[in-house]
Amino acid sequence: MPDLSAAHDAAVTDRARLAGSAYNGDRDLAARQSLYRWQTPRYDLPGLVAERLSAVRGRVVDIGCGNGTFLQRLRQDRPDLSLLGIDIAPGILAHVPGPVAVADATRLPLAAGSVDGALALHMLYHVPDIPQAVRELARVVTRDGVVVASTNSDRDKAELDELWRRAAGDVLGVDRGPARISLGSRFTLERAPALLGEEFSRVEVVELPATVTVRDPDPVIAHMASYRAWADQQDAPFDATIDRTRALVAEHISRHGAFEITSRAGVLVCRR
Ligand SMILES: C[S@@+](CC[C@H](N)C(=O)[O-])C[C@H]1O[C@@H](n2cnc3c(N)ncnc32)[C@H](O)[C@@H]1O
């Protein structure tokens, strides 16, 4: 059962933590993104998003653009579009080329109906007031504009959650340790259609089921360690638990040849 407590929500949405630590640069985000290199089938998420914008002309804003992965792809595939990146964290915008602005998804510095497409990719779960961010998305796009959001299912990477509990249990000397923090649980693929459906009459869900197969513990450990900004929120010592996960993954790989992780991301294409 995901932790949906007020303390969990406060930690996942805390602006100071997001801007000052979690997304102060792109090290941790890049570690999470790079795990998908070992995904089968290997979805081209930036390409899929660009495809969903194929009928869009004019202006597109990427809200919570992070290290600019999607902006870069759009700049390459769609030089006709006028692009703007927005993020709450100035540090992560430092190396994103092109026009960018520091702003909050719940108070966009954009006029009503001023963009033809808007992206909110793997970011709405970090917003304290998700319905307000969805209203802002609906406000800034034109009547026939497209909003593309993305997130993960609540079944995504279940093996990593279990791995954390085993490692934390070993560190604490108990059978099964406490769960690790879940970043995405406030806006999962299961909850997203209802939240987006408050403002958009058509919400198409594109599921991207896959398996990540690694034969070396490093990418898994880098992914798990990318939660370091929330280390104080874990009920087990962070570094010791990470060290233990490395040993467990290495042991699993030497016995079975690989470590497999369920990947359940999805894209939501919204229209009015
Ligand atoms: C998980 S990253 C996703 C980055 C990018 N969209 C991607 O999919 O690769 C979440 C991003 O949303 C940003 N963010 C979090 N809360 C925000 C808010 N209220 N307004 C704007 N950006 C926000 C973070 O700073 C971070 O860069």
Side-chain angles (χ1 to χ4, degrees):
M1 180 67 192
D3 182 0
L4 298 176
S5 68
H8 165 271
D9 284 12
V12 170
T13 62
D14 174 32
R15 187 176 181 149
R17 188 186 297 264
L18 294 171
S21 172
Y23 301 109
N24 187 27
D26 91 329
R27 177 184 63 166
D28 292 338
L29 176 60
R32 289 204 286 282
Q33 289 169 332
S34 65
L35 192 65
Y36 295 100
R37 263 189 251 155
W38 288 273
Q39 188 189 50
T40 318
R42 184 152 178 210
Y43 296 107
D44 171 18
L45 196 50
L48 277 166
V49 169
E51 229 171 74
R52 302 287 147 172
L53 295 177
S54 58
V56 171
R57 304 277 175 273
R59 286 175 294 247
V60 171
V61 61
D62 184 355
I63 301 157
C65 65
N67 55 5
T69 302
F70 292 84
L71 286 170
Q72 253 168 339
R73 181 60 173 270
L74 284 172
R75 206 153 270 135
Q76 183 189 305
D77 289 7
R78 294 292 309 277
D80 59 304
L81 292 175
S82 157
L83 301 168
L84 170 67
I86 283 184
D87 204 284
I88 207 175
I92 209 163
L93 291 175
H95 302 290
V96 180
V100 291
V102 176
D104 192 314
T106 56
R107 283 186 3 176
L108 293 173
L110 298 168
S114 63
V115 298
D116 306 279
L119 307 179
L121 304 171
H122 280 80
M123 63 79 61
L124 283 167
Y125 42 74
H126 282 313
V127 177
D129 187 347
I130 297 173
Q132 173 59 19
V134 173
R135 283 194 289 276
E136 278 293 84
L137 286 167
R139 181 184 69 78
V140 300
V141 291
T142 54
R143 271 260 31 108
D144 54 0
V146 180
V147 170
V148 183
S150 68
T151 190
N152 296 331
S153 158
D154 56 21
R155 290 169 298 133
D156 183 64
K157 301 187 195 73
E159 296 81 0
L160 296 190
D161 296 331
E162 193 47 41
L163 179 64
W164 178 271
R165 292 192 88 133
R166 275 190 62 199
D170 290 351
V171 168
L172 297 172
V174 296
D175 210 20
R176 199 156 173 264
R180 68 174 180 154
I181 194 163
S182 161
L183 299 186
S185 57
R186 303 176 59 255
F187 186 80
T188 59
L189 210 47
E190 289 75 13
R191 304 176 101 199
L195 287 159
L196 294 164
E198 287 292 322
E199 295 293 327
F200 299 95
S201 62
R202 284 179 293 159
V203 179
E204 179 204 352
V205 182
V206 183
E207 293 188 31
L208 306 170
T211 303
V212 171
T213 306
V214 293
R215 293 183 168 78
D216 173 340
D218 283 355
V220 175
I221 303 312
H223 189 285
M224 299 199 80
S226 78
Y227 282 58
R228 76 189 91 234
W230 288 274
D232 63 319
Q233 299 294 309
Q234 313 287 352
D235 294 322
F238 190 76
D239 291 334
T241 305
I242 292 290
D243 286 348
R244 183 63 192 144
T245 58
R246 178 182 290 282
L248 290 174
V249 175
E251 198 180 296
H252 185 100
I253 293 172
S254 74
R255 196 174 300 164
H256 303 283
F259 185 79
E260 291 195 344
I261 304 160
T262 305
S263 172
R264 291 286 180 276
V267 171
L268 301 111
V269 185
C270 315
R271 293 184 172 83
R272 277 211 278 252

